[in-house]
């Protein structure tokens, strides 16, 4: 199959290389609003290059992968859907709730498959945790602890078009929480701070945040994250139940050292980036997208799923700004 890719930045270059290696993919065509970036990635990986999005979309594609900046997602999904091309788009769907809702309405009316890139759904650890929660093996879940700690911050220019910490970063925790538990968030209390470079604050953003969520079955969930965790890229989830508890991401690569004498676990090299941490999940995710394109599987993460995670992110942003508990019903359904 012939797959187009829009946006040749950090994750775009990475996804282009993954797509090239997939057995179902014969050709990958790359474009970017900054043509030099797309040309470079195309040259490096031996791929085709298209001068712009319109040229790309009219080049006989079977599917398109959108890895452009978040601020461009909604318009690009709109164009791809109008062209009737099965689409994969990186999270989040848009910068704000209204635009996310418009995309959901457009996509659902079109019938064109659109898969949103929450790759944790393809991570074997999260899948195993979901299975144990759903089977009842853990009993009732009383607490969940989730964290997303980046080893180092993205470049300054990434921040103004990112949507902010909750919509850009912890939105992954909000999505995987629904995937693991099958429950919805009913209320949040969130806070955040600018502890590192001042530019986060200058864009109205934070680089460290924490939130306490309550799910519709009464489970408490604490979520935390930072852009500054030199120990390594650390993404984990602990699911604590009345009959048992499991941890996702707790292995030899966990970016944590024990303070106890004589304890050497975890002894391996911590992950440096999200690419190291989730490489197999990204491959599985894009493989799933090729199956969506081939018509052999349902969309595994829909725009409506993305809307739900985004609502929680929006609730956290409102909670942080107003320093109060926010009910999810306050955030347009
Ligand atoms: N799932 C994940 O783990 C994950 C990880 C990183 C980034 N992302 C998401 O991927 C997206 C890109 O992130 P990144 O880190 O690669 O950013 P980046 O800034 O490195 O790259 C973005 C690229 O998009 C291009 N671009 C912007 N507007 C465009 C448009 N209208 N048409 C074509 N190209 C356009 C830019 O020129 C740039 O090359 C973001 O939405 C981000 O949230 C997801």
């Amino acid at each position: 199959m012939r797959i187009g890719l829009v946006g040749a930045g950090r994750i775009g270059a990475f996804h282009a290389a993954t797509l090239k290696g997939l057995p179902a993919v014969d050709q990958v065509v790359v474009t970017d609003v900054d043509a030099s970036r797309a040309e470079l990635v195309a040259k490096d990986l031996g791929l085709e290059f298209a001068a712009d999005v319109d040229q790309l979309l009219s080049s006989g594609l079977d599917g398109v992968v959108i890895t452009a900046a978040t601020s461009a997602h909604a318009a690009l999904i709109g164009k791809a859907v109008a062209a009737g091309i099965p689409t994969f788009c990186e999270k989040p769907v848009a910068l704000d709730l209204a635009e996310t809702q418009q995309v959901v309405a457009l996509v659902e009316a079109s019938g064109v498959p659109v898969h949103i890139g929450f790759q944790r759904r393809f991570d074997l650890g999260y899948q195993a945790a979901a299975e144990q929660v759903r089977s009842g093996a853990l009993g009732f879940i009383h607490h969940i602890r989730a964290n997303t700690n980046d080893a180092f911050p993205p470049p300054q220019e990434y921040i103004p078009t990112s949507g902010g910490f909750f919509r850009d970063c912890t939105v992954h925790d909000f999505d995987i929480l629904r995937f693991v538990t099958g429950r919805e968030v009913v209320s949040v209390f969130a806070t955040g701070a600018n502890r590192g470079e001042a530019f986060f604050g200058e864009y109205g953003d934070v680089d460290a945040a924490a939130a306490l969520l309550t799910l519709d079955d009464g489970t408490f969930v604490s979520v935390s994250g930072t852009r500054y965790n030199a120990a390594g890229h650390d993404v984990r989830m602990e699911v604590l139940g009345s009959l048992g508890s499991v941890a996702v991401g707790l292995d030899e690569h966990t970016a944590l050292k024990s303070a106890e004498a004589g304890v050497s676990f975890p002894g391996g090299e911590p992950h440096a980036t999200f690419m190291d941490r989730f490489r197999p999940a990204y491959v599985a995710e894009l493989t799933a997208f090729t199956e969506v394109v081939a018509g052999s599987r349902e969309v595994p993460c829909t725009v409506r799923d993305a809307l739900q995670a985004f609502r929680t992110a929006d609730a956290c942003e409102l909670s942080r700004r107003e320093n109060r508990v926010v009910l999810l019903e306050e955030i347009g359904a």
Side-chain angles (χ1 to χ4, degrees), residues 6-12 32-34 37 53 67-70 72-73 76 90-92 117 119 158 168 172 274 282:
V6 186
R10 281 189 310 169
I11 196 94
D32 193 294
V33 74
D34 177 346
R37 282 197 183 193
V53 173
T67 48
T70 296
H73 289 181
L76 289 169
E90 266 306 336
K91 46 52 64 178
Q119 83 281 357
Y158 179 84
D168 180 60
H172 279 290
F274 49 84
Y282 288 119

mmCIF file of all heavy atoms in Angstrom, residues 6-12 32-34 37 53 67-70 72-73 76 90-92 117 119 158 168 172 274 282, ligand 1:
data_model
loop_
_atom_site.group_PDB
_atom_site.id
_atom_site.type_symbol
_atom_site.label_atom_id
_atom_site.label_comp_id
_atom_site.label_asym_id
_atom_site.label_seq_id
_atom_site.Cartn_x
_atom_site.Cartn_y
_atom_site.Cartn_z
ATOM 1 N N VAL A 6 2.416 13.440 6.688
ATOM 2 C CA VAL A 6 2.423 14.914 6.729
ATOM 3 C C VAL A 6 3.059 15.366 8.038
ATOM 4 O O VAL A 6 2.489 15.134 9.118
ATOM 5 C CB VAL A 6 0.989 15.484 6.664
ATOM 6 C CG1 VAL A 6 1.043 17.007 6.556
ATOM 7 C CG2 VAL A 6 0.203 14.884 5.519
ATOM 8 N N GLY A 7 4.226 16.018 7.947
ATOM 9 C CA GLY A 7 4.901 16.519 9.151
ATOM 10 C C GLY A 7 6.141 15.697 9.443
ATOM 11 O O GLY A 7 6.055 14.622 10.025
ATOM 12 N N ALA A 8 7.284 16.228 9.038
ATOM 13 C CA ALA A 8 8.536 15.460 9.132
ATOM 14 C C ALA A 8 9.403 15.953 10.282
ATOM 15 O O ALA A 8 10.601 16.165 10.133
ATOM 16 C CB ALA A 8 9.285 15.551 7.805
ATOM 17 N N GLY A 9 8.780 16.121 11.459
ATOM 18 C CA GLY A 9 9.544 16.545 12.642
ATOM 19 C C GLY A 9 10.024 15.337 13.426
ATOM 20 O O GLY A 9 10.327 14.282 12.846
ATOM 21 N N ARG A 10 10.057 15.468 14.762
ATOM 22 C CA ARG A 10 10.589 14.398 15.635
ATOM 23 C C ARG A 10 9.862 13.085 15.419
ATOM 24 O O ARG A 10 10.444 12.073 15.057
ATOM 25 C CB ARG A 10 10.380 14.792 17.112
ATOM 26 C CG ARG A 10 11.333 15.767 17.683
ATOM 27 C CD ARG A 10 11.150 15.899 19.186
ATOM 28 N NE ARG A 10 9.772 16.128 19.598
ATOM 29 C CZ ARG A 10 9.342 16.067 20.855
ATOM 30 N NH1 ARG A 10 10.186 15.775 21.816
ATOM 31 N NH2 ARG A 10 8.073 16.306 21.161
ATOM 32 N N ILE A 11 8.536 13.097 15.654
ATOM 33 C CA ILE A 11 7.803 11.830 15.574
ATOM 34 C C ILE A 11 7.536 11.467 14.112
ATOM 35 O O ILE A 11 7.441 10.285 13.779
ATOM 36 C CB ILE A 11 6.484 11.887 16.391
ATOM 37 C CG1 ILE A 11 5.912 10.482 16.634
ATOM 38 C CG2 ILE A 11 5.442 12.740 15.733
ATOM 39 C CD1 ILE A 11 6.306 9.863 17.916
ATOM 40 N N GLY A 12 7.483 12.478 13.242
ATOM 41 C CA GLY A 12 7.233 12.204 11.822
ATOM 42 C C GLY A 12 8.370 11.395 11.204
ATOM 43 O O GLY A 12 8.136 10.404 10.498
ATOM 44 N N ASP A 32 5.937 18.277 4.253
ATOM 45 C CA ASP A 32 5.971 19.124 5.461
ATOM 46 C C ASP A 32 5.816 20.553 4.979
ATOM 47 O O ASP A 32 6.216 20.886 3.852
ATOM 48 C CB ASP A 32 7.316 18.953 6.189
ATOM 49 C CG ASP A 32 7.311 19.547 7.603
ATOM 50 O OD1 ASP A 32 7.191 20.797 7.732
ATOM 51 O OD2 ASP A 32 7.424 18.782 8.564
ATOM 52 N N VAL A 33 5.225 21.395 5.826
ATOM 53 C CA VAL A 33 5.080 22.806 5.462
ATOM 54 C C VAL A 33 6.484 23.418 5.280
ATOM 55 O O VAL A 33 6.675 24.346 4.489
ATOM 56 C CB VAL A 33 4.229 23.542 6.528
ATOM 57 C CG1 VAL A 33 4.989 23.781 7.803
ATOM 58 C CG2 VAL A 33 3.625 24.806 5.989
ATOM 59 N N ASP A 34 7.447 22.862 5.969
ATOM 60 C CA ASP A 34 8.856 23.210 5.775
ATOM 61 C C ASP A 34 9.440 22.131 4.851
ATOM 62 O O ASP A 34 9.858 21.059 5.288
ATOM 63 C CB ASP A 34 9.561 23.218 7.137
ATOM 64 C CG ASP A 34 11.047 23.491 7.025
ATOM 65 O OD1 ASP A 34 11.590 23.418 5.905
ATOM 66 O OD2 ASP A 34 11.667 23.758 8.071
ATOM 67 N N ARG A 37 12.609 20.049 5.491
ATOM 68 C CA ARG A 37 12.559 18.955 6.473
ATOM 69 C C ARG A 37 12.089 17.667 5.811
ATOM 70 O O ARG A 37 12.628 16.590 6.045
ATOM 71 C CB ARG A 37 11.573 19.289 7.596
ATOM 72 C CG ARG A 37 12.097 20.240 8.599
ATOM 73 C CD ARG A 37 11.222 20.141 9.836
ATOM 74 N NE ARG A 37 11.648 21.109 10.818
ATOM 75 C CZ ARG A 37 11.248 21.095 12.072
ATOM 76 N NH1 ARG A 37 10.402 20.180 12.492
ATOM 77 N NH2 ARG A 37 11.677 21.991 12.920
ATOM 78 N N VAL A 53 0.734 19.394 0.859
ATOM 79 C CA VAL A 53 -0.301 18.445 1.297
ATOM 80 C C VAL A 53 -1.243 18.097 0.148
ATOM 81 O O VAL A 53 -1.624 16.932 -0.027
ATOM 82 C CB VAL A 53 -1.082 19.033 2.497
ATOM 83 C CG1 VAL A 53 -2.265 18.153 2.866
ATOM 84 C CG2 VAL A 53 -0.163 19.204 3.687
ATOM 85 N N THR A 67 1.527 13.718 11.233
ATOM 86 C CA THR A 67 2.454 13.889 12.364
ATOM 87 C C THR A 67 2.921 15.348 12.427
ATOM 88 O O THR A 67 4.000 15.642 12.931
ATOM 89 C CB THR A 67 3.675 12.955 12.200
ATOM 90 O OG1 THR A 67 4.168 13.091 10.860
ATOM 91 C CG2 THR A 67 3.313 11.519 12.458
ATOM 92 N N ALA A 68 2.085 16.231 11.891
ATOM 93 C CA ALA A 68 2.391 17.667 11.932
ATOM 94 C C ALA A 68 2.145 18.192 13.349
ATOM 95 O O ALA A 68 1.627 17.469 14.213
ATOM 96 C CB ALA A 68 1.500 18.405 10.941
ATOM 97 N N ALA A 69 2.485 19.449 13.577
ATOM 98 C CA ALA A 69 2.240 20.088 14.870
ATOM 99 C C ALA A 69 0.752 20.001 15.208
ATOM 100 O O ALA A 69 -0.108 20.027 14.314
ATOM 101 C CB ALA A 69 2.681 21.552 14.802
ATOM 102 N N THR A 70 0.448 19.927 16.501
ATOM 103 C CA THR A 70 -0.935 19.766 16.963
ATOM 104 C C THR A 70 -1.862 20.836 16.367
ATOM 105 O O THR A 70 -2.998 20.535 15.992
ATOM 106 C CB THR A 70 -0.958 19.831 18.506
ATOM 107 O OG1 THR A 70 -0.218 18.714 18.997
ATOM 108 C CG2 THR A 70 -2.358 19.793 19.057
ATOM 109 N N ALA A 72 -2.045 22.004 13.603
ATOM 110 C CA ALA A 72 -2.427 21.731 12.206
ATOM 111 C C ALA A 72 -3.312 20.499 12.064
ATOM 112 O O ALA A 72 -3.838 20.235 10.975
ATOM 113 C CB ALA A 72 -1.159 21.555 11.355
ATOM 114 N N HIS A 73 -3.499 19.709 13.152
ATOM 115 C CA HIS A 73 -4.187 18.414 13.028
ATOM 116 C C HIS A 73 -5.608 18.525 12.478
ATOM 117 O O HIS A 73 -5.981 17.789 11.558
ATOM 118 C CB HIS A 73 -4.244 17.689 14.389
ATOM 119 C CG HIS A 73 -2.919 17.176 14.856
ATOM 120 N ND1 HIS A 73 -2.750 16.483 16.027
ATOM 121 C CD2 HIS A 73 -1.679 17.263 14.320
ATOM 122 C CE1 HIS A 73 -1.477 16.172 16.190
ATOM 123 N NE2 HIS A 73 -0.810 16.641 15.166
ATOM 124 N N LEU A 76 -5.868 19.298 8.811
ATOM 125 C CA LEU A 76 -5.317 18.210 7.988
ATOM 126 C C LEU A 76 -6.240 16.991 7.997
ATOM 127 O O LEU A 76 -6.439 16.343 6.967
ATOM 128 C CB LEU A 76 -3.905 17.837 8.475
ATOM 129 C CG LEU A 76 -2.829 18.897 8.182
ATOM 130 C CD1 LEU A 76 -1.532 18.569 8.926
ATOM 131 C CD2 LEU A 76 -2.556 19.011 6.680
ATOM 132 N N GLU A 90 -1.612 11.780 14.876
ATOM 133 C CA GLU A 90 -1.043 11.826 16.222
ATOM 134 C C GLU A 90 -1.996 12.561 17.177
ATOM 135 O O GLU A 90 -2.786 13.385 16.759
ATOM 136 C CB GLU A 90 0.324 12.527 16.194
ATOM 137 C CG GLU A 90 1.499 11.579 16.056
ATOM 138 C CD GLU A 90 1.492 10.475 17.135
ATOM 139 O OE1 GLU A 90 0.901 10.654 18.206
ATOM 140 O OE2 GLU A 90 2.062 9.412 16.878
ATOM 141 N N LYS A 91 -1.892 12.241 18.445
ATOM 142 C CA LYS A 91 -2.660 12.933 19.473
ATOM 143 C C LYS A 91 -2.086 14.312 19.659
ATOM 144 O O LYS A 91 -0.913 14.501 19.341
ATOM 145 C CB LYS A 91 -2.654 12.168 20.795
ATOM 146 C CG LYS A 91 -1.323 11.624 21.300
ATOM 147 C CD LYS A 91 -0.128 12.485 21.435
ATOM 148 C CE LYS A 91 -0.131 13.618 22.399
ATOM 149 N NZ LYS A 91 1.163 14.362 22.454
ATOM 150 N N PRO A 92 -2.811 15.285 20.212
ATOM 151 C CA PRO A 92 -4.261 15.286 20.319
ATOM 152 C C PRO A 92 -4.898 15.721 18.998
ATOM 153 O O PRO A 92 -4.194 16.186 18.106
ATOM 154 C CB PRO A 92 -4.508 16.311 21.437
ATOM 155 C CG PRO A 92 -3.360 17.277 21.332
ATOM 156 C CD PRO A 92 -2.188 16.501 20.790
ATOM 157 N N GLY A 117 -3.389 8.508 17.458
ATOM 158 C CA GLY A 117 -2.158 7.847 17.901
ATOM 159 C C GLY A 117 -1.876 7.861 19.397
ATOM 160 O O GLY A 117 -0.928 8.500 19.849
ATOM 161 N N GLN A 119 -0.345 5.511 21.473
ATOM 162 C CA GLN A 119 0.371 4.243 21.274
ATOM 163 C C GLN A 119 0.404 3.345 22.502
ATOM 164 O O GLN A 119 0.658 2.149 22.390
ATOM 165 C CB GLN A 119 1.811 4.519 20.786
ATOM 166 C CG GLN A 119 2.821 4.837 21.863
ATOM 167 C CD GLN A 119 2.731 6.275 22.358
ATOM 168 O OE1 GLN A 119 1.947 7.070 21.850
ATOM 169 N NE2 GLN A 119 3.557 6.615 23.338
ATOM 170 N N TYR A 158 8.275 24.245 20.310
ATOM 171 C CA TYR A 158 7.215 23.215 20.336
ATOM 172 C C TYR A 158 6.062 23.651 21.237
ATOM 173 O O TYR A 158 4.904 23.302 20.983
ATOM 174 C CB TYR A 158 7.831 21.898 20.861
ATOM 175 C CG TYR A 158 6.861 20.742 20.973
ATOM 176 C CD1 TYR A 158 6.569 19.941 19.874
ATOM 177 C CD2 TYR A 158 6.236 20.446 22.194
ATOM 178 C CE1 TYR A 158 5.680 18.871 19.976
ATOM 179 C CE2 TYR A 158 5.355 19.385 22.300
ATOM 180 C CZ TYR A 158 5.077 18.603 21.191
ATOM 181 O OH TYR A 158 4.198 17.567 21.308
ATOM 182 N N ASP A 168 -1.029 17.942 25.978
ATOM 183 C CA ASP A 168 0.059 17.394 25.164
ATOM 184 C C ASP A 168 0.669 16.145 25.777
ATOM 185 O O ASP A 168 0.984 15.187 25.074
ATOM 186 C CB ASP A 168 1.160 18.464 25.014
ATOM 187 C CG ASP A 168 2.322 17.979 24.171
ATOM 188 O OD1 ASP A 168 2.091 17.636 22.995
ATOM 189 O OD2 ASP A 168 3.461 17.905 24.684
ATOM 190 N N HIS A 172 -1.912 11.373 27.421
ATOM 191 C CA HIS A 172 -1.624 9.941 27.240
ATOM 192 C C HIS A 172 -2.099 9.142 28.458
ATOM 193 O O HIS A 172 -2.651 8.049 28.315
ATOM 194 C CB HIS A 172 -0.116 9.712 27.088
ATOM 195 C CG HIS A 172 0.421 9.979 25.715
ATOM 196 N ND1 HIS A 172 0.148 9.178 24.641
ATOM 197 C CD2 HIS A 172 1.251 10.947 25.256
ATOM 198 C CE1 HIS A 172 0.783 9.638 23.570
ATOM 199 N NE2 HIS A 172 1.454 10.715 23.919
ATOM 200 N N PHE A 274 10.695 8.885 24.499
ATOM 201 C CA PHE A 274 9.484 8.098 24.260
ATOM 202 C C PHE A 274 9.693 7.073 23.147
ATOM 203 O O PHE A 274 9.061 6.038 23.107
ATOM 204 C CB PHE A 274 8.274 9.000 23.956
ATOM 205 C CG PHE A 274 8.512 10.067 22.917
ATOM 206 C CD1 PHE A 274 8.401 9.785 21.570
ATOM 207 C CD2 PHE A 274 8.826 11.365 23.296
ATOM 208 C CE1 PHE A 274 8.600 10.771 20.613
ATOM 209 C CE2 PHE A 274 9.032 12.361 22.342
ATOM 210 C CZ PHE A 274 8.926 12.065 21.006
ATOM 211 N N TYR A 282 4.808 1.549 19.028
ATOM 212 C CA TYR A 282 4.629 2.364 17.810
ATOM 213 C C TYR A 282 4.549 1.469 16.574
ATOM 214 O O TYR A 282 3.773 1.723 15.652
ATOM 215 C CB TYR A 282 5.783 3.356 17.639
ATOM 216 C CG TYR A 282 5.797 4.510 18.614
ATOM 217 C CD1 TYR A 282 6.871 4.699 19.482
ATOM 218 C CD2 TYR A 282 4.763 5.439 18.663
ATOM 219 C CE1 TYR A 282 6.910 5.760 20.369
ATOM 220 C CE2 TYR A 282 4.789 6.507 19.537
ATOM 221 C CZ TYR A 282 5.870 6.663 20.393
ATOM 222 O OH TYR A 282 5.899 7.720 21.268
HETATM 223 N N1 LIG B 1 2.344 9.660 20.442
HETATM 224 C C1 LIG B 1 3.464 10.154 20.904
HETATM 225 O O1 LIG B 1 4.129 9.548 21.726
HETATM 226 C C2 LIG B 1 3.962 11.475 20.410
HETATM 227 C C3 LIG B 1 5.285 11.841 20.649
HETATM 228 C C4 LIG B 1 5.726 13.078 20.150
HETATM 229 C C5 LIG B 1 4.857 13.889 19.463
HETATM 230 N N2 LIG B 1 3.575 13.516 19.272
HETATM 231 C C6 LIG B 1 2.643 14.383 18.558
HETATM 232 O O2 LIG B 1 3.095 14.483 17.215
HETATM 233 C C7 LIG B 1 2.927 15.808 16.711
HETATM 234 C C8 LIG B 1 4.262 16.329 16.210
HETATM 235 O O3 LIG B 1 5.168 16.379 17.282
HETATM 236 P P1 LIG B 1 6.742 16.500 17.031
HETATM 237 O O4 LIG B 1 7.383 16.331 18.333
HETATM 238 O O5 LIG B 1 7.169 15.640 15.891
HETATM 239 O O6 LIG B 1 6.810 18.040 16.588
HETATM 240 P P2 LIG B 1 7.904 18.758 15.686
HETATM 241 O O7 LIG B 1 7.780 20.206 15.993
HETATM 242 O O8 LIG B 1 9.219 18.087 15.818
HETATM 243 O O9 LIG B 1 7.400 18.482 14.190
HETATM 244 C C9 LIG B 1 6.212 19.013 13.677
HETATM 245 C C10 LIG B 1 6.372 19.135 12.164
HETATM 246 O O10 LIG B 1 5.104 19.509 11.608
HETATM 247 C C11 LIG B 1 5.355 20.428 10.548
HETATM 248 N N3 LIG B 1 4.106 21.143 10.292
HETATM 249 C C12 LIG B 1 3.496 22.081 11.058
HETATM 250 N N4 LIG B 1 2.348 22.480 10.462
HETATM 251 C C13 LIG B 1 2.228 21.759 9.316
HETATM 252 C C14 LIG B 1 1.250 21.718 8.284
HETATM 253 N N5 LIG B 1 0.156 22.501 8.310
HETATM 254 N N6 LIG B 1 1.452 20.868 7.237
HETATM 255 C C15 LIG B 1 2.545 20.093 7.191
HETATM 256 N N7 LIG B 1 3.507 20.082 8.147
HETATM 257 C C16 LIG B 1 3.341 20.913 9.192
HETATM 258 C C17 LIG B 1 6.497 21.294 11.081
HETATM 259 O O11 LIG B 1 7.145 21.986 10.036
HETATM 260 C C18 LIG B 1 7.374 20.218 11.745
HETATM 261 O O12 LIG B 1 8.300 19.659 10.827
HETATM 262 C C19 LIG B 1 2.315 16.611 17.868
HETATM 263 O O13 LIG B 1 0.924 16.681 17.666
HETATM 264 C C20 LIG B 1 2.604 15.790 19.110
HETATM 265 O O14 LIG B 1 1.596 15.919 20.090
HETATM 266 C C21 LIG B 1 3.120 12.321 19.710
#
